[in-house]
Amino acid sequence: MSDESGQSAGAKVNTRRLHVITWGCQMNVYDSTRMTDVLAPLGYAPAEAPDGADMVILNTCHIRDRAAEKVFSELGRLRLLKQAREAEGGRMILAVAGCVAQAEGAEILARAPYVDIVLGPQTYHRLPEMVARASRAAGAVIATDFPAEDKFDHLPEASAPSGPTAFLTIQEGCDKFCSFCVVPYTRGAEQSRPLGAVVAEARRLVALGAREITLLGQNVNAWHGEGPHGPSTLGHLVRALAEIPDLARIRYTTSHPRDMDDDLIAAHAEVPQLMPFLHLPVQSGADRILAAMNRRHTAADYLRLIDRLRAARPDLALSSDFIVGHPGETEADFAATMALIERVGFAQAFSFKYSPRPGTPAAGAPTQVPEAEKDRRLQALQALLREQQAAFNADCVGRTVDVLVTGPGRRPGQIGGRTPWLQPVHADGPDGLAGRIVRVKIVAAHQNSLSATLLPHPQEQERTQA
Ligand code: 5AD
Ligand code: SF4
């Protein structure tokens, strides 16, 4: 996740210049590339900066605090560039996409009437038509409905991945309605792409150079795409993807504990390409709070699941999401979360202070936790998670590990890549190894990464991972 910082996508200049600013999860990053793809036939090519662009898209995230405010302050900045462009006799089309657009479309048009297009995540395939309408007329074009047609049927083929790792959205939306979360409202009901379409896109990505594919979905393990014999399962999809030669690594994110079925757990034991790293949000370790959150699992259910996953794949490393200060959370509830963390031992995690999202059930609860208390709990929780991450990284020192080289390292003469457990690794090494799986020895651990030495004779490890 990269919720706190905007990311920009861009490259060469063509007839029209498109600048996309992306906030939020990997699904938004994927969506931004698909919006870029859908606009390419109209002559739009990515631009590094918004200055002088013919179109700027803000792909927004609504999941936590200050999301809308960030969007409005960015819009204020872009308004000046849009005016400058008009003063030169040009036009900059300004579009707001993503979950803030879905949730607050009317508010955006009221506060920023210079915005030309507001579109929700399910309507990206309509972007060319909306751009055409916006180019012809003054006044905003808005699409925040949940159309009956599937956008994936109407989007062009995905463009080439920018390196050996690629993302592939297989599922969108969520039916779980956790008390704190806007996703079921902004992304709508769960929808799965069909098995054949996913496998075909994966084959294309591999043909274009991907060695690792991360399957994406708000509730990815609830995927039930249509297959030849009816609705399929994620375990089945993973096995189907493992048949693709040259696809060395498969990952999936984000999962819900309730949707971890026996077959998916078995896939972790049986499919070597399925990497031994799982992001499985638990949110809290207190049953009272898990019930208030409408999570539909207890702390014991989660721990049992972890035990089963570790029995299937003993080297499995775990990641999670935590919320502190959900309405009603007492000191004892918080202690239960700390105890769960101690019991599991996480390789990494994301943790947040609860922030009320308008329209969600928890936002109106009378038992809001004071801000200072949330701060204190978050600091204690993050200190423990940092300790666990450092311990996990330190444990790798001295081990021989397979690394997928993703490109150059931090310094000249270095390569950079990822371990099976998703840790970034740097090692001295030659150019030209990107996309190869090389064997390294880990020599030092840092908070968020590892240093390594490349072992002689880098070998392709097609199917066996350390
Ligand atoms: N407040 C704080 N954190 C939240 N998340 C989702 N909604 C909220 C909220 N209202 C966190 C959850 C989720 C992650 C993507 O963001 O931990 O798993
Ligand atoms: Fe939000 Fe809960 Fe759905 Fe995850 S499972 S997207 S937290 S409602």
Side-chain angles (χ1 to χ4, degrees):
M1 306 255 155
S2 52
D3 300 57
E4 304 311 326
S5 62
Q7 304 171 22
S8 301
K12 63 178 190 285
V13 179
N14 199 6
T15 44
R16 294 178 185 164
R17 293 156 45 83
L18 168 67
H19 182 69
V20 185
I21 300 173
T22 310
W23 284 284
C25 62
Q26 284 158 338
M27 301 218 19
N28 267 14
V29 176
Y30 178 87
D31 284 346
S32 290
T33 62
R34 299 310 301 268
M35 283 192 276
T36 307
D37 293 342
V38 84
L39 289 173
L42 274 70
Y44 284 95
E48 293 286 354
D51 315 60
D54 299 288
M55 179 162 181
V56 176
I57 302 175
L58 299 187
N59 192 7
T60 62
C61 170
H62 198 242
I63 199 129
R64 282 182 297 278
D65 225 359
R66 300 191 309 277
E69 285 321 306
K70 277 188 225 161
V71 173
F72 284 116
S73 74
E74 188 65 43
L75 282 174
R77 198 168 72 87
L78 290 170
R79 177 190 200 168
L80 302 177
L81 296 179
K82 185 175 164 81
Q83 285 167 345
R85 189 102 172 90
E86 272 158 25
E88 292 165 356
R91 169 119 196 249
M92 175 196 281
I93 296 176
L94 199 48
V96 182
C99 293
V100 175
Q102 185 69 42
E104 304 196 26
E107 169 90 4
I108 290 168
L109 293 181
R111 277 179 65 180
Y114 46 90
V115 166
D116 301 291
I117 294 175
V118 172
L119 75 165
Q122 297 311 322
T123 58
Y124 294 156
H125 57 295
R126 295 190 190 160
L127 201 47
E129 168 211 329
M130 295 172 82
V131 169
R133 273 164 57 202
S135 318
R136 281 196 299 269
V141 182
I142 179 159
T144 50
D145 53 336
F146 291 101
E149 79 270 16
D150 180 351
K151 72 175 170 194
F152 289 110
D153 290 343
H154 297 264
L155 284 169
E157 284 186 330
S159 56
S162 53
T165 59
F167 295 103
L168 200 176
T169 294
I170 64 167
Q171 181 279 340
E172 281 195 89
C174 180
D175 297 339
K176 296 283 189 300
F177 290 93
C178 297
S179 63
F180 50 83
C181 185
V182 288
V183 166
Y185 310 97
T186 57
R187 291 270 173 169
E190 262 177 41
Q191 265 185 303
S192 298
R193 293 177 69 188
L195 178 71
V198 172
V199 173
E201 187 170 335
R203 284 190 182 281
R204 251 179 54 73
L205 290 168
V206 172
L208 292 166
R211 302 294 318 275
E212 170 179 298
I213 291 182
T214 302
L215 305 173
L216 297 179
Q218 261 98 25
N219 228 305
V220 74
N221 59 342
W223 179 83
H224 53 266
E226 253 339 283
H229 313 293
S232 188
T233 63
L234 187 59
H236 178 78
L237 174 60
V238 164
R239 290 168 208 273
L241 295 177
E243 299 294 315
I244 302 177
D246 291 336
L247 178 56
R249 293 181 166 192
I250 302 169
R251 304 178 185 275
Y252 61 92
T253 195
T254 289
S255 296
H256 192 287
R258 273 294 287 263
D259 294 315
M260 241 25 246
D261 65 23
D262 292 350
D263 185 47
L264 185 54
I265 296 172
H268 278 277
E270 294 159 16
V271 180
Q273 294 95 322
L274 187 55
M275 288 293 95
F277 178 90
L278 181 63
H279 181 65
L280 192 61
V282 64
Q283 314 294 357
S284 168
D287 288 345
R288 248 170 40 81
I289 297 301
L290 288 168
M293 286 176 163
N294 190 31
R295 288 288 295 176
R296 309 165 199 216
H297 62 80
T298 62
D301 293 335
Y302 186 82
L303 293 174
R304 255 194 310 275
L305 191 52
I306 299 298
D307 288 345
R308 290 177 60 210
L309 282 158
R310 282 183 166 154
R313 181 90 203 221
D315 63 344
L316 186 78
L318 287 144
S319 159
S320 197
D321 290 343
F322 296 91
I323 296 179
V324 297
H326 182 275
E329 187 187 77
T330 63
E331 191 55 38
D333 295 328
F334 175 63
T337 301
M338 295 291 272
L340 179 138
I341 296 173
E342 294 276 12
R343 163 81 161 69
V344 174
F346 289 95
Q348 66 148 78
F350 300 96
S351 48
F352 314 101
K353 282 191 290 184
Y354 170 72
S355 84
R357 312 315 293 140
T360 57
T367 47
Q368 301 292 327
V369 175
E371 208 53 32
E373 192 53 38
K374 287 192 219 171
D375 279 330
R376 195 187 60 72
R377 290 180 193 171
L378 186 66
Q379 277 180 30
L381 183 115
Q382 289 187 338
L384 177 57
L385 289 169
R386 266 198 307 275
E387 226 175 78
Q388 291 193 340
Q389 185 181 24
F392 179 75
N393 288 347
D395 204 41
C396 295
V397 175
R399 289 167 63 182
T400 299
V401 169
D402 287 343
V403 166
L404 173 59
V405 181
T406 48
R410 270 192 217 129
R411 293 196 307 272
Q414 274 195 332
I415 55 167
R418 296 271 178 164
T419 69
W421 307 281
L422 217 49
Q423 297 139 298
V425 187
H426 301 277
D428 288 341
D431 290 345
L433 290 182
R436 300 272 295 275
I437 290 175
V438 296
R439 199 152 267 193
V440 304
K441 184 166 177 145
I442 306 297
V443 293
H446 318 287
Q447 182 64 40
N448 297 309
S449 65
L450 301 169
S451 302
T453 48
L454 191 58
L455 294 179
H457 309 302
Q459 310 158 16
E460 285 279 323
Q461 305 296 316
E462 291 302 323
R463 286 174 186 254
T464 50
Q465 302 296 327

